[in-house]
Amino acid sequence: MSILQKLVLASGSPRRIELLQQAGIEPDRVLPADVDETPLRAEHPRSLAKRLCKDKAEKALTSLKSEEDYAPAFILAADTVVAVGRRILPKAETIDDAVNCLGLLSGRSHRVYSGICLITPGGKLRQRLVETRVRFKRLPREEIDAYVASGEWRGKAGGYAVQGLAGSFVVKLVGSYTNVVGLPLYESVALLSGEGFKAHQHWHAARS
């Protein structure tokens, strides 16, 4: 008799849910883990991404310990950081945040780091870090203002959503596109599969 596998996504991001669904994986539960995302003094962007995804996974694990149904679940967490050099850009919450981020990214290359963390039903913790290089075209102020008016930037690392209007800003992208959206799919599915999660078990029904 096979054990029913359960997957908890420690994120409330609609983009991460959609990306998992794109890979044929439906989380059994979405459990946003609220952690302090303030970078430590002199913390490197890649270190921040790794630390925060681990914090989110461990917080979700603590929340589930009192729930019998989810005690043996796989827990997947992720965090995405956008940086220019060592400078970490915020998740834009205000118009000023968005304008400042887009002004900094205009005509330049930046890096997007995503840390992914998996805690297995047996308590093993596995992590991966994925890096993508992105170059934006030069953005005139009127284009920045028009993008800000769209509202797509709200809550987005670096003040943009590559899967939306800002896709037209990208001159070059080297690495994982889904990483820039918010969850590197290849690495996430490989991490799950490597720890025994049957990521492909529902594919036969995906088109029914």
Side-chain angles (χ1 to χ4, degrees), residues 61-106:
L61 177 65
T62 299
S63 299
L64 292 169
K65 277 185 175 172
S66 61
E67 300 186 33
E68 261 183 48
D69 288 349
Y70 285 94
F74 288 84
I75 299 171
L76 182 67
D79 190 80
T80 301
V81 173
V82 174
V84 176
R86 291 182 61 101
R87 179 171 177 178
I88 297 167
L89 276 60
K91 285 185 171 68
E93 301 296 345
T94 68
I95 287 175
D96 283 346
D97 285 344
V99 169
N100 291 338
C101 285
L102 292 168
L104 188 62
L105 297 175
S106 174

Side-chain angles (χ1 to χ4, degrees), residues 183-194:
L183 185 71
L185 270 187
Y186 165 73
E187 292 81 2
S188 298
V189 174
L191 192 59
L192 284 161
S193 298

Side-chain angles (χ1 to χ4, degrees), residues 109-162:
S109 292
H110 63 277
R111 294 176 190 257
V112 180
Y113 301 93
S114 282
I116 51 176
C117 182
L118 178 69
I119 299 179
T120 71
K124 286 194 292 183
L125 189 147
R126 296 286 183 263
Q127 284 188 274
R128 296 285 185 277
L129 182 79
V130 182
E131 176 185 331
T132 303
R133 286 176 288 159
V134 184
R135 182 173 181 83
F136 270 15
K137 69 177 184 176
R138 190 166 298 282
L139 300 172
R141 181 58 195 244
E142 65 179 284
E143 195 163 1
I144 290 176
D145 289 343
Y147 184 71
V148 169
S150 77
E152 277 190 358
W153 51 270
R154 289 190 186 278
K156 307 294 193 303
Y160 74 93
V162 74

